[in-house]
Amino acid sequence: MVTPLRSQVLAHYKKLIRTAQDVFQNDPVRIASMTQGIRENFTHYKNVTDEKTIKELIRAAKDTDSFLRRQVLQTVQTSENTYRLVVKPYMLFDNTRMIRECEDDEKAHHEEEEEKARQQGLSPCEIAAQKFK
């Protein structure tokens, strides 16, 4: 394995172990299970020498880390039928950018539809009526 890639692989291995410990904090069974899974996965691919494949595996490790941090939620039981969601700072993100992008996409889609209708010779009233169909 090429030395710079080797250091990246080891860095992502350590990062995934730390992420598992952080995400599953106070749950030693899950931490042990995740750590074992991470170790087995990295051991399985330890003899890969193709640079392209190694880079794909590094990308997969990054995606896994991101998934664990963004998608896995932990709850703590506070009473018999009540659980509290544990929200950590890395779980929070600015969704206003995502909303603006969706609005921009929707606006662009409507503008495309209006342009097609104009090319077909429809009046502004006919275009508006098509939106409500």
Side-chain angles (χ1 to χ4, degrees):
M1 182 185 314
V2 181
T3 305
L5 288 178
R6 178 177 169 75
S7 62
Q8 286 182 30
V9 169
L10 292 174
H12 285 290
Y13 174 79
K14 290 177 185 178
K15 186 174 181 179
L16 277 173
I17 296 292
R18 279 188 238 114
T19 297
Q21 291 171 346
D22 193 31
V23 169
F24 299 109
Q25 189 175 20
N26 300 323
D27 191 350
V29 174
R30 293 273 182 248
I31 291 172
S33 174
M34 285 296 298
T35 302
Q36 180 183 356
I38 292 166
R39 187 175 295 121
E40 287 173 359
N41 201 5
F42 274 77
T43 302
H44 177 74
Y45 292 107
K46 76 177 184 178
N47 294 323
V48 174
T49 56
D50 180 43
E51 188 173 329
K52 183 179 177 183
T53 305
I54 294 170
K55 287 181 180 181
E56 289 175 9
L57 292 168
I58 289 171
R59 186 183 48 75
K62 288 179 184 178
D63 292 346
T64 302
D65 183 74
S66 177
F67 177 83
L68 287 172
R69 289 192 175 274
R70 296 273 184 183
Q71 304 296 325
V72 176
L73 300 175
Q74 188 177 34
T75 59
V76 176
Q77 189 169 7
T78 56
S79 66
E80 186 177 331
N81 294 323
T82 308
Y83 292 85
R84 178 177 54 86
L85 179 65
V86 178
V87 179
K88 299 184 180 172
Y90 57 77
M91 293 177 171
L92 304 174
F93 60 97
D94 181 16
N95 65 353
T96 57
R97 188 181 104 238
M98 195 174 354
I99 291 169
R100 283 193 304 269
E101 287 175 2
C102 290
E103 288 173 348
D104 290 345
D105 289 345
E106 188 175 310
K107 183 179 176 184
H109 177 70
H110 286 302
E111 288 173 354
E112 288 174 10
E113 288 180 350
E114 288 178 5
E115 182 59 35
K116 288 178 186 176
R118 280 190 208 101
Q119 289 174 356
Q120 294 172 357
L122 299 177
S123 70
C125 292
E126 293 170 322
I127 294 171
Q130 281 187 345
K131 289 182 184 178
F132 293 109
K133 287 183 181 179

